């Protein structure tokens, strides 16, 4: 089948996609965007988290065909050219990255959290990131990174990014109180 | 004479330098082994045995080959070299021949143009199995008459037995406590699955890009199986998504190379999560029987112990794990009389080998449980008892080895004990309660407990192994600036070794611009990224190579300038401290390159009868205090806080040291309360992240960490290996805290809800057992 999808602001068309393929394989294996990771393919680890129409989803649980006509933003779309997004910069500085396999998913999840709650409590951070497994860090430096990004207004910048072209779409711009609806755990 | 001012470069040893790969990693642009692509690439897949023990009567791949899009389907008959590999000895077939010895053992491999086509091709391979009874109990496997799984093994199913005898093994004591403990099978559960890309080369060889822990040991095993000289099997490290021991053995390496050489096309193999559970070795499940004897003041008189480690179907690194469990098996305590026997055994369970802590983890759970039991028997404070017996510098190990650098065991214990305790949980916030928001604890029946653990680990390879690393350091001037490149085969698994190498080069040469080249087999072996050894051994090699480069540069400068100079902060400086020249002035377009092979102090084998010998080169210690809240009726545990104190000799990168302590402690927490590969009759029941649980950010509590820096005079910069100790002591501390809260004996990890809620209360109605112990 053919899939048309907007990825990181660019319109992409891919032919001969097998119906059984996930959005995650579409991104990783066909569109040259391996940033989102496959660590379980069961919605358990959050490594594959991307935005689908502004809502974080586990890309491994979304069929490629479900992305037809929709808009996807991946970790590769967070930075502004050479400048890292404040959330990315905070992960670097806080030592929240070891092997880094969990990092793309955590960045998207953090990015989403800070766009909803600009100064989350530790409890809110833990709850929001509970669907993202990290095996290396014990999460302490990840918490540090989220706190650091919050003090630097990581969330404010995100809302600015979202508002112009996302206005009026479901879930866009407006604060939501749900976690990752398509991720279990 | 130049008047340039001297400036100390940032990012030296002791600084929390930012990792050089961090920016790529946060951009999603770091190329992990599962991200690799090549034009015209095929996808490999592996057919695995569904049976833990079976005879193979026949394998027929014909139907797989007729499927359009399939380019190869290979069996053991297609392995050109010897169909054997293994870390310690080669007992494992690349592809099974006439027998399979564990569920998940590779039987055939295919290559196809789409991963789904490859999976379908596997379904078309016909294997005729004659199912055999699996040997699944390690103790029974040791018994006379048990079916022998590896006829060539001289000890029957006993792969290794280490005996240690010290003092009077039959010594009697006033107070004696005994205990039997069990440790379940833990998985490393790195997030980045086994994967790599093999590319056939013009010269008949192959280039393999892979996530591993030790490039050269892979190279030699792959070359042996392919029947190629090692120089025709070239390995380059691809991005590694965590390791923790699980990448020390081969997984897809030979398979991908076989397929690439056969099809003459690049072949990529990537395991899914389920396959990953079958694709690597695990932590040895253990049965441990201990008898501790003490005088009435709590001084240890004797320890007698028997440890059985289930090695599973193949040897992997079991012999070394056995030696660790045995030599470290009484813990960081001074004990005059020791009788220790430790066995590693073949069974038809999944193969076990390296995992962070490597034999020390299992023993620590048992000896620390015993110390608590002894304290209770004596009516003593458990920390006091430990301090009274704590090993220190100059103490003698049960192997007779004298601990010849800092061993601040008592100090570590005091530090965690003296930390303020966390406030009680807020009963109105379910996030703070056992079970969390999704569960049912209301706050009644929740009891707080506090427990302690301290552990010991050897650093680097032991027992006379020729343990070295190779570093090549190059200095040149580019764009008018001195630039250093460091080339080693040392594997960055996430721990921050690339940063450490940069920091060392900056420190030794005073030059800011340091590039760490990709690790590959184009330079000599660095040894394994395991045993907490790389900062020590590869760090030592990089330091030594930098020193050679510096000496060469200074000699060159002396010739050119006509006087003696030294290199200080990246400038050539005379004895009176004046800057004589810049590196660029002296070097011009010359290049200085030096390669050094560097070894730690030698170690020696253990005496086979008494276990005496200086088997280890360095010891490392950590202590934990755990605070838990337990819903004693539901059996749910919430770890409220972990305090840790660890001596790291010298923190090369303090932030990364903390990261190791946090991450290691989390893996110990996992073993304490949730992580276990459930193996029933040799069959794995929970090969997924749905059923094998690792700690989430909700499970992991805040940590309070003290890092001590008591230099080891034998080690580069005085450093002490960091990665493993925190994994060792957090498990017993957490279990001790649960015991304190519940009064249960808890002799097995992971602790399950029914161990807490049901033990000793058979009259209580038995609820259906929750799959999720603590989430
Ligand atoms: S890959 Fe684990 S949630 Fe998608
Ligand atoms: S940094 Fe390795 S999994 Fe998170």
């Amino acid at each position: 089948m053919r899939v048309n999808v907007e990825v990181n602001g660019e319109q992409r068309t891919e032919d001969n996609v097998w119906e059984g393929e996930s959005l995650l394989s579409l991104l990783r294996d066909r569109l040259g965007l391996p940033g989102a990771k496959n660590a379980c393919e069961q919605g358990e680890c959050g490594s594959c988290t991307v935005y689908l129409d502004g809502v974080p989803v586990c890309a491994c649980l979304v069929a490629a065909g479900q992305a037809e006509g929709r808009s996807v933003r991946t970790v590769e779309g967070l930075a502004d050219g050479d400048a890292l997004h404040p959330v990315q910069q905070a992960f670097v500085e806080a030592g929240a990255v070891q092997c880094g396999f969990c990092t793309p998913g955590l960045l998207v999840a953090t990015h989403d959290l800070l766009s909803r709650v600009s100064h989350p409590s530790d409890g809110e951070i833990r709850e929001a990131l509970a669907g993202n497994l990290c095996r290396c860090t014990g999460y302490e430096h990840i918490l540090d990174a989220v706190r650091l990004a919050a003090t630097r207004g990581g969330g404010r910048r995100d809302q600015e990014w979202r508002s112009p072209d996302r206005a009026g779409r479901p879930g866009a711009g407006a604060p939501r109180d749900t976690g990752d609806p398509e991720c279990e755990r | 004479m130049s008047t340039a001012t001297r400036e100390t470069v940032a990012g030296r040893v002791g600084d929390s330098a930012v990792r050089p790969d961090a920016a790529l990693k946060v951009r999603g642009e770091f190329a992990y082994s599962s991200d690799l692509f090549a034009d015209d690439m095929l996808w490999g897949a592996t057919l695995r045995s569904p049976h833990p023990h079976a005879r193979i009567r026949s394998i027929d791949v014909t139907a797989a080959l007729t499927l359009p899009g399939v380019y190869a389907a290979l069996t053991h008959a297609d392995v050109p070299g010897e169909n054997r590999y293994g870390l310690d000895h080669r007992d494992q077939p690349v592809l099974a021949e006439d027998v399979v010895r564990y569920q998940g053992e590779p039987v055939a491999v295919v290559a196809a143009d789409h991963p789904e086509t490859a999976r379908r091709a596997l379904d078309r391979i016909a294997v005729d199995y004659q199912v055999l009874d699996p040997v699944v109990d390690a103790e029974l496997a040791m018994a006379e008459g048990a079916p022998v799984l590896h006829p060539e093994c001289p000890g029957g199913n006993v792969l290794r037995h280490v005996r240690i005898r010290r003092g009077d093994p039959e010594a009697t004591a006033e107070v004696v406590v005994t205990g039997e403990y069990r440790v379940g099978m833990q998985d490393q559960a790195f997030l980045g699955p086994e994967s790599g890309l093999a590319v056939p080369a013009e010269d008949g060889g192959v280039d393999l890009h892979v996530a591993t822990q030790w490039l050269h040991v892979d190279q030699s095993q792959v070359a042996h199986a392919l029947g190629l000289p090692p120089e025709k099997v070239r390995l380059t490290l691809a991005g590694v998504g965590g390791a923790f021991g699980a990448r020390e053995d081969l997984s897809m390496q030979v398979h991908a190379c076989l397929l690439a050489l056969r099809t003459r096309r690049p072949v990529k193999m990537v395991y899914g999560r389920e396959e990953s559970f079958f694709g690597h070795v695990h932590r040895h499940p253990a049965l441990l029987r201990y008898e501790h004897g003490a005088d009435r003041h709590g001084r240890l008189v004797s320890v007698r112990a028997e440890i059985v480690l289930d090695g599973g179907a193949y040897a992997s690194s079991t012999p070394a794990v056995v030696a660790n469990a045995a030599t470290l098996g009484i813990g960081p305590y001074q004990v005059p009389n020791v009788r220790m026997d430790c066995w590693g055994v073949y069974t038809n369970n999944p193969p076990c080998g390296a995992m962070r802590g490597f034999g020390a983890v299992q023993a620590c759970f048992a000896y620390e449980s015993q110390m608590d039991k002894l304290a209770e028997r004596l009516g003593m404070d458990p920390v006091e008892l430990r301090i009274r017996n704590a090993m220190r510098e100059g103490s003698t190990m049960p192997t007779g080895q004298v601990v010849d650098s800092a061993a601040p065991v008592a100090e570590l214990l005091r530090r965690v004990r003296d930390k303020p305790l966390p406030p009680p949980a807020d009963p109105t916030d379910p996030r703070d309660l056992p079970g969390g928001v999704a569960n049912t604890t209301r706050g009644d029946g929740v009891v707080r407990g506090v427990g302690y653990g301290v552990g010991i680990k050897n650093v680097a390879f032991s027992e006379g192994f020729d343990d070295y690393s190779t570093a090549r350091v190059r200095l040149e001037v580019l764009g008018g600036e001195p630039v250093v490149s460091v080339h080693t085969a040392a594997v960055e698994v996430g721990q921050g070794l690339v940063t450490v190498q940069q920091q060392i080069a900056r420190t030794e040469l005073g030059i800011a611009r340091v590039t760490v080249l990709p690790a590959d087999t184009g330079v000599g072996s660095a040894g394994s990224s395991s045993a907490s050894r790389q900062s020590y051994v590869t760090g030592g090699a990089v330091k030594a190579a930098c020193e050679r480069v510096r000496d060469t540069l200074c000699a060159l400068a002396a010739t050119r300038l006509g006087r003696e100079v030294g290199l200080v902060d990246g400038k050539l400086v005379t004895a009176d401290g004046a800057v004589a020249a810049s590196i660029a002035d002296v070097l011009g377009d010359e290049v200085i390159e030096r390669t050094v092979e560097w070894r730690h102090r030698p170690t020696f084998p253990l005496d086979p009868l008494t276990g005496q010998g200086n088997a280890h080169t360095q010891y490392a210690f950590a202590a934990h205090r755990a605070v838990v809240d337990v819903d004693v009726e539901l059996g749910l545990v919430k770890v409220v806080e972990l305090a840790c104190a660890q001596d790291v000799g010298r923190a090369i990168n303090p932030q990364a040291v903390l990261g190791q302590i946090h991450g290691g402690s989390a893996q110990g927490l996992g073993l304490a309360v949730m992580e276990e590969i459930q193996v029933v009759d040799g069959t794995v029941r929970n090969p997924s992240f749905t059923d094998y649980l690792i700690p989430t950010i909700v499970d992991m509590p805040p940590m309070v960490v003290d890092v001590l820096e008591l230099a080891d005079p034998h080690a580069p910069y005085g450093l002490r290996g960091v990665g493993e100790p925190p994994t060792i002591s957090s498990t017993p501390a957490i279990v001790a805290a649960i015991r304190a809260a519940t009064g249960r004996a808890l002799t097995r990890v992971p602790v399950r809800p029914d161990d807490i809620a049901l033990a000793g209360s058979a009259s209580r109605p038995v609820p259906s057992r929750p799959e999720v112990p603590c989430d």
Side-chain angles (χ1 to χ4, degrees):
Chain A
M1 66 180 175
R2 164 176 287 199
V3 178
N4 301 286
V5 56
E6 186 200 307
V7 184
N8 297 332
E10 206 182 307
Q11 199 57 48
R12 305 286 298 265
T13 298
E14 189 65 22
D15 285 312
N16 302 320
V17 177
W18 172 56
E19 285 76 2
E21 271 175 47
S22 64
L23 172 59
L24 183 60
S25 354
L26 178 74
L27 292 167
R28 290 179 48 79
D29 301 338
R30 293 182 182 271
L31 299 179
L33 291 167
K37 295 288 172 254
N38 180 349
C40 78
E41 237 172 350
Q42 275 192 328
E44 294 290 352
C45 73
S47 310
C48 61
T49 308
V50 300
Y51 282 115
L52 181 62
D53 285 346
V55 179
V57 296
C58 292
C60 70
L61 296 182
V62 176
Q66 284 178 280
E68 172 64 32
R70 300 171 76 178
S71 146
V72 172
R73 189 183 182 194
T74 71
V75 68
E76 287 100 333
L78 292 184
D80 182 5
D82 284 346
L84 294 180
H85 186 278
V87 171
Q88 293 172 311
Q89 186 60 35
F91 268 64
V92 169
E93 288 175 31
V97 180
Q98 288 189 26
C99 84
F101 212 79
C102 64
T103 305
L106 274 160
L107 288 169
V108 174
T110 303
H111 191 269
D112 174 62
L113 167 67
L114 295 182
S115 71
R116 291 182 282 113
V117 187
S118 56
H119 293 283
S121 68
D122 282 3
E124 286 171 313
I125 298 172
R126 288 185 192 271
E127 211 174 323
L129 302 185
N132 292 79
L133 296 176
C134 171
R135 190 54 156 169
C136 300
T137 63
Y139 304 104
E140 285 282 277
H141 286 160
I142 290 171
L143 279 154
D144 289 346
V146 180
R147 294 181 198 119
L148 182 62
T151 61
R152 291 180 179 166
R156 272 202 317 281
R157 232 183 96 156
D158 177 67
Q159 277 165 353
E160 284 158 23
W161 186 89
R162 263 191 206 185
S163 40
D165 57 328
R166 294 289 188 286
R169 289 209 194 166
R176 292 174 294 108
D177 54 4
T178 51
D180 297 9
E182 298 190 49
C183 295
E184 293 175 30
R185 197 173 183 113
Chain B
M1 183 182 292
S2 159
T3 53
T5 50
R6 281 174 15 213
E7 232 175 77
T8 304
V9 298
R12 295 156 56 105
V13 166
D15 295 342
S16 287
V18 164
R19 356 176 9 115
D21 55 12
L24 278 179
K25 284 179 173 176
V26 296
R27 286 174 174 275
E29 290 167 3
F30 184 77
Y32 293 89
S33 53
S34 51
D35 299 337
L36 303 176
F37 260 79
D39 287 342
D40 216 22
M41 177 183 95
L42 299 173
W43 295 80
T46 312
L47 182 70
R48 295 172 182 275
S49 167
H51 310 294
H53 196 195
R55 200 157 289 292
I56 295 179
R57 295 201 190 93
S58 64
I59 309 172
D60 185 357
V61 299
T62 325
L65 285 167
T66 58
L67 190 67
V70 173
Y71 288 80
L74 309 179
T75 69
H76 66 89
D78 300 295
V79 177
E82 194 197 2
N83 183 29
R84 286 290 180 279
Y85 73 96
L87 280 176
D88 190 81
H89 49 277
R90 296 190 161 123
D91 65 347
Q92 188 159 3
V94 172
L95 291 167
E97 293 156 14
D98 52 342
V99 60
V100 286
R101 295 184 179 84
Y102 71 97
Q103 181 206 19
E105 180 159 352
V107 175
V109 288
V110 301
D113 57 6
H114 188 280
E116 180 59 19
T117 312
R119 278 192 287 272
R120 290 179 187 180
L122 296 181
D123 289 342
R124 293 169 152 238
I125 297 175
V127 185
D128 183 9
Y129 292 104
Q130 178 198 347
V131 175
L132 304 172
D133 280 341
V135 178
V136 296
D137 182 301
E139 266 202 303
L140 294 180
M142 292 167 66
E144 278 300 309
V148 172
L149 299 176
H150 290 267
E152 72 285 359
C153 175
N157 290 327
V158 176
L159 192 47
R160 188 170 184 196
H161 172 203
V162 171
R163 279 168 63 97
I164 298 176
R165 300 292 182 268
R166 177 118 200 115
D168 173 9
E170 308 307 325
T172 55
E174 286 169 278
V175 183
V176 173
V177 292
T178 59
E180 181 174 302
Y181 304 91
R182 285 180 190 270
V183 176
M185 186 184 287
Q186 190 180 17
D187 189 61
Q188 299 85 348
F190 49 54
L191 281 206
E194 291 88 344
S195 42
L197 176 70
V199 184
E202 298 272 314
D203 66 353
V206 61
D207 291 286
L208 177 63
H209 304 260
V210 69
T212 179
Q213 285 179 234
W214 186 356
L215 289 164
H216 285 78
V217 86
D218 282 13
Q219 181 190 40
S220 79
Q221 294 177 92
V222 173
H224 183 80
L226 295 178
L228 288 173
E231 62 275 13
K232 289 208 170 175
V233 178
R234 293 160 294 256
L235 274 75
T236 303
L237 185 68
V240 183
F244 317 115
R247 297 189 209 270
E248 215 170 37
D249 294 79
L250 295 183
S251 57
M252 45 57 66
Q253 284 88 333
V254 186
H255 300 157
C257 292
L258 281 172
L259 291 166
L261 289 170
R262 177 63 69 98
T263 60
R264 305 302 308 158
R265 286 170 67 168
V267 174
K268 174 170 172 169
M269 293 186 89
V270 183
Y271 292 178
R273 180 54 53 187
E274 178 174 353
E275 185 168 25
S276 177
F277 275 94
F278 296 101
H280 59 252
V281 301
H282 311 290
R283 187 187 304 290
H284 292 74
L287 167 65
L288 311 102
R289 297 195 179 96
Y290 274 72
E291 181 189 291
H292 277 60
D295 67 18
R296 87 181 76 117
H297 309 294
R299 259 189 217 292
L300 285 169
V301 173
S302 64
V303 175
R304 291 193 268 273
E306 292 183 351
I307 302 174
V308 180
L309 298 172
D310 183 348
Y314 294 101
S316 177
S317 49
T318 293
V321 175
V322 169
N324 266 19
T327 56
L328 308 170
I330 66 159
Y333 301 114
Q334 310 195 66
V335 185
N337 305 298
V338 174
R339 188 179 77 205
M340 161 70 73
D341 288 276
C342 181
W343 295 270
V345 184
Y346 281 127
T347 64
N348 292 116
N349 290 323
C352 289
M355 180 174 173
R356 195 176 195 169
F358 205 79
V361 163
Q362 295 92 329
C364 186
F365 170 61
Y367 64 69
E368 286 299 85
S369 298
Q370 283 286 99
M371 292 302 277
D372 285 335
K373 208 172 187 178
L374 183 60
E376 201 187 326
R377 177 71 58 83
L378 290 161
M380 269 182 81
D381 176 78
V383 175
E384 254 335 291
L385 175 72
R386 286 173 170 86
I387 289 176
R388 189 158 297 180
N389 292 286
M391 154 184 297
R392 57 179 83 97
E393 184 167 354
S395 296
T396 304
M397 295 290 292
T399 55
Q401 181 166 21
V402 174
V403 178
D404 62 0
S405 70
V409 177
E411 172 67 9
L412 297 173
L413 284 161
R414 278 188 210 107
R415 285 193 178 231
V416 293
R417 181 193 59 194
D418 294 345
K419 297 269 172 228
L421 282 162
D426 173 3
T428 64
D429 188 345
R431 285 184 301 221
D432 283 354
L433 295 175
V437 278
N439 259 299
T440 48
T441 303
R442 300 280 190 274
D444 40 322
V446 174
V447 181
R448 179 153 289 191
V450 179
Y452 296 87
V454 61
I456 177 171
K457 179 69 186 40
N458 60 321
V459 173
F461 282 28
S462 298
E463 294 187 86
F465 188 88
D466 182 22
D467 194 17
Y468 68 94
S469 180
T470 315
R472 181 180 298 156
V473 171
R474 179 183 169 97
L475 171 64
E476 63 200 309
V477 176
L478 296 174
E481 289 292 321
V483 177
V484 180
S485 42
V486 180
H487 189 188
T488 73
V491 170
E492 168 65 51
V493 294
Q495 79 280 46
L497 184 62
V498 283
T499 331
V500 164
Q501 293 180 60
Q502 263 187 339
Q503 291 178 259
I504 290 175
R506 289 196 191 112
T507 303
E508 296 305 322
L509 299 172
I511 293 168
R513 282 177 63 192
V514 178
T515 308
V516 177
L517 300 177
D520 59 30
T521 50
V523 60
S525 176
S528 181
S529 288
S530 64
S532 307
R533 67 180 279 288
Q534 282 294 26
S535 292
Y536 191 135
V537 188
T538 291
V542 171
K543 180 171 187 280
C546 287
E547 286 162 359
R548 295 267 184 92
V549 167
R550 187 175 61 204
D551 293 349
T552 309
L553 175 69
C554 290
L556 186 70
T559 322
R560 302 231 161 127
L561 302 170
R563 67 199 131 134
E564 288 301 306
V565 287
L567 183 65
V568 181
D569 292 334
K571 297 281 187 296
L572 293 153
V573 173
T574 54
D576 58 5
V579 173
S582 71
I583 292 174
D585 293 342
V586 169
L587 207 53
D589 43 16
E590 269 186 64
V591 172
I592 300 176
E593 184 176 285
R594 290 291 176 271
T595 304
V596 171
E597 230 174 56
W598 192 87
R599 287 168 170 75
H600 59 70
R601 291 186 295 162
T603 59
F604 300 91
L606 294 167
D607 181 276
L609 290 179
T610 64
Q612 299 298 293
N614 290 349
H616 302 309
T617 196
Q618 187 186 54
Y619 294 100
F621 307 89
H624 279 86
R625 181 189 70 193
V627 179
V628 302
D629 281 338
V630 185
D631 184 319
V632 295
E633 284 155 13
L634 297 176
L636 298 171
V637 176
K638 164 88 188 166
V639 182
V640 174
E641 188 204 77
L642 279 176
C644 178
Q646 182 172 342
D647 171 31
V648 303
R650 175 84 196 274
I652 302 293
N653 184 317
Q655 188 185 57
V657 162
L658 286 176
Q660 287 300 303
I661 294 173
H662 298 149
S665 300
Q667 290 181 2
L669 180 149
L671 179 60
V673 293
M674 63 181 77
E675 292 185 33
E676 181 174 10
I677 299 184
Q678 290 163 25
V679 185
V680 178
D681 296 332
T683 308
V684 175
R685 292 300 164 91
N686 57 342
S688 73
F689 277 170
T690 309
D691 298 318
Y692 183 93
L693 300 177
I694 65 173
T696 68
I697 196 168
V698 173
D699 301 314
M700 191 57 195
M703 283 197 68
V704 196
V705 180
D706 270 9
V707 173
L708 272 65
E709 296 184 85
L710 306 176
D712 177 349
H714 313 287
Y717 306 107
L719 72 83
R720 198 175 289 286
V722 175
E724 291 170 289
T727 308
I728 296 167
S729 45
S730 59
T731 306
I734 291 166
V735 178
I738 304 172
R739 280 192 202 108
T742 62
R744 302 291 189 211
L746 305 180
T747 56
R748 184 187 188 286
V749 282
V751 175
R752 298 159 295 194
D754 8 2
D755 299 332
I756 296 169
L758 300 180
S761 54
S763 59
R764 205 182 295 202
V766 179
S768 65
R769 169 134 157 237
E771 281 279 279
V772 180
C774 184
D775 196 342

